[in-house]
């Protein structure tokens, strides 16, 4: 006789419905309306990674030289262009790091450390996915990535974005248990939100935009560079206006082999000039957003969420 199937999940279980309007007000340092952070995904892809039966690393048969070498272009050329641009506009990157890069390209780690950029974990290789891992295997992978960052960057990471967005049902629980403070793996809000994890740790989601992710914009949605720049400006203008009432967050996730191409850089620069030309903008990192929110706004948010949940339950009973 077969064992009964586990019940199918209707949601992630990490957060409940919490409407945007009417939340406790978020205030950012210096009275800023909006927290802006740039998250360069600095990744390492293997030409011949271990096979994963649930997802192929490359669309081409081995050897997938085009895909491999354009990513190598990013680490050789594109990264330098993007770094110079962020320097010009006074932005520190929050690096979504494939931690194998610490071994393969330590020069990049050194340049980012010189600039006081943040490093958060993006797994070990972006060609090794979470799919199919046991809990013990995923815990070991996350722990190794955190240890590697601490050893090479001098500080333990606070944030996590699963490699190639290949998270599991346990990813957030495991990262929180290992000392993590924030996740980028949920795309459900324009403000930080408390998350429920099985260990009960104080743990938050920091907004990370798939819409402004340059790979999704250029490869999936096939937008032109000028349009990508307009998208960044439009997002900023809307969130800046809403931030007059309560602080918002805008993340620009980039890849050095996308935004760092010569014909795409001007549109990105125009967007950064637009953002930094405004007052009331907190140019910051994912870690700083999470730490400020945990220190000043987390508890009020948890109480408000509980109040909404109670009101919803009452409404449901009355119906």
């Amino acid at each position: 006789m077969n064992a009964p199937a586990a019940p199918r999940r209707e949601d992630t279980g990490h957060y409940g419905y919490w409407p945007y309007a009417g939340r406790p007000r978020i205030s950012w340092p210096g009275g800023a309306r909006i927290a802006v952070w740039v998250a360069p995904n600095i990744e390492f892809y293997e030409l011949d990674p271990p096979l994963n039966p649930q997802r192929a690393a490359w669309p081409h048969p081995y050897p997938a030289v085009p895909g491999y070498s354009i990513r190598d272009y990013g680490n050789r050329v594109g990264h330098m262009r993007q770094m110079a641009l962020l320097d010009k506009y006074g932005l520190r990157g929050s690096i979504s790091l494939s931690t194998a890069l610490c071994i393969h390209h330590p020069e990049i780690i050194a340049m980012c450390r010189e600039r006081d950029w943040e490093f958060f974990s993006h797994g070990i290789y972006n060609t090794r996915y979470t799919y199919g891992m046991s809990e013990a295997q995923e815990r070991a992978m996350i722990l190794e990535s955190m240890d590697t960052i601490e050893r090479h960057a001098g500080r333990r990471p606070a944030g996590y974005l699963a490699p190639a967005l290949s998270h599991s049902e346990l990813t957030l629980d495991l990262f929180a248990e290992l000392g993590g403070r924030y996740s980028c793996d949920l795309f459900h809000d324009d403000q930080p939100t408390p998350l429920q994890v099985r260990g009960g740790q104080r743990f938050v989601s920091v907004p990370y935009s798939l819409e402004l992710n340059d790979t999704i914009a250029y490869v999936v949605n096939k937008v032109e560079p000028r349009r990508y720049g307009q998208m960044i400006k439009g997002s900023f203008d809307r969130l800046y206006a809403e931030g007059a009432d309560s602080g918002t967050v805008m993340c620009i996730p980039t890849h050095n082999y996308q935004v760092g191409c010569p014909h795409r850089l001007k549109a990105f620069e125009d967007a950064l000039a637009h953002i930094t030309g405004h007052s009331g903008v907190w140019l910051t990192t994912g870690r700083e957003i999470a730490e400020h929110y945990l220190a000043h706004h987390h508890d009020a948010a948890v109480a408000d969420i509980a109040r909404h949940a109670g009101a919803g339950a009452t409404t449901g009973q009355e119906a």
Side-chain angles (χ1 to χ4, degrees):
M1 182 174 178
N2 295 330
R8 302 184 74 85
R9 299 175 65 160
E10 293 182 333
D11 57 52
T12 70
H14 293 302
Y15 62 92
Y17 179 67
W18 189 35
Y20 191 42
R23 295 175 180 174
R25 187 176 191 280
I26 293 177
S27 57
W28 294 131
R33 295 180 171 200
I34 182 172
V36 175
W37 65 301
V38 179
N41 286 267
I42 303 185
E43 301 165 332
F44 197 91
Y45 287 71
E46 302 153 286
L47 180 63
D48 188 18
L51 293 177
N52 185 308
Q54 300 190 48
R55 179 172 170 180
W58 300 111
H60 299 149
Y62 177 82
V65 172
Y68 171 83
S69 59
I70 186 61
R71 286 159 178 80
D72 207 23
Y73 169 90
N75 287 333
R76 297 163 63 94
V77 181
H79 173 69
M80 309 306 164
R81 289 201 182 104
Q82 181 176 197
M83 176 170 277
L85 202 59
L86 296 186
D87 284 349
K88 179 177 179 179
Y89 290 95
L91 286 152
R92 287 175 293 143
S94 297
I95 302 170
S96 174
L97 183 68
S98 295
T99 60
L101 200 96
C102 295
I103 308 301
H104 292 282
H105 301 317
E107 302 89 347
I108 292 178
I109 303 299
M111 286 186 284
C112 296
R113 286 192 69 177
E114 289 172 4
R115 289 161 171 79
D116 191 28
W117 286 18
E118 178 195 359
F119 296 85
F120 67 86
S121 173
H122 192 26
I124 299 174
Y125 287 95
N126 218 40
T127 38
R128 300 190 190 189
Y129 310 120
T130 304
Y131 306 130
M133 285 186 179
S134 67
E135 179 176 342
Q137 289 171 327
E138 185 176 9
R139 179 188 293 274
M141 184 270 288
I142 294 173
L143 181 60
E144 180 181 341
S145 73
M146 296 174 77
D147 288 345
T148 301
I149 288 177
E150 185 172 19
R151 190 164 58 250
H152 290 269
R155 192 175 188 187
R156 199 155 187 82
Y160 191 75
L161 178 71
L165 306 182
S166 63
H167 38 79
S168 75
E169 293 177 339
L170 297 176
T171 298
L172 275 60
D173 297 323
L174 294 171
F175 185 60
E177 289 164 9
L178 291 169
R181 308 302 303 277
Y182 75 93
S183 169
C184 304
D185 274 314
L186 298 172
F187 315 104
H188 63 301
D189 220 285
D190 286 326
Q191 293 178 319
T193 53
L195 295 178
Q196 301 162 13
V197 288
R198 67 182 180 185
Q201 293 85 2
R202 287 161 55 87
F203 190 72
V204 298
S205 170
V206 172
Y208 175 98
S209 174
L210 290 185
E211 289 292 318
L212 296 185
N213 184 307
D214 58 351
T215 291
I216 292 175
Y218 286 128
V219 178
V220 179
N221 295 331
K222 303 187 186 310
V223 305
E224 297 178 349
R226 182 172 59 182
R227 177 62 187 140
Y228 180 60
Q230 292 170 343
M231 288 165 57
I232 295 174
K233 293 177 186 177
S235 294
F236 172 81
D237 290 347
R238 180 73 252 173
L239 292 168
Y240 184 80
E242 292 177 358
D245 298 323
S246 182
T248 54
V249 175
M250 177 176 172
C251 178
I252 310 174
T254 64
H255 297 75
N256 48 29
Y257 63 94
Q258 300 285 2
V259 79
C261 289
H263 66 292
R264 291 170 175 162
L265 205 67
K266 181 63 165 60
F268 185 49
E269 175 166 9
D270 288 348
L272 296 184
H274 178 76
I275 291 168
T276 56
H278 286 71
S279 60
V281 179
W282 183 27
L283 303 176
T284 186
T285 65
R287 177 193 287 269
E288 290 173 352
I289 294 170
E291 290 179 343
H292 180 90
Y293 187 81
L294 283 164
H296 300 284
H297 301 292
H298 175 272
D299 294 351
V302 168
D304 196 57
I305 291 169
R307 183 179 64 80
H308 272 279
T314 300
T315 302
Q317 288 170 2
E318 291 173 345

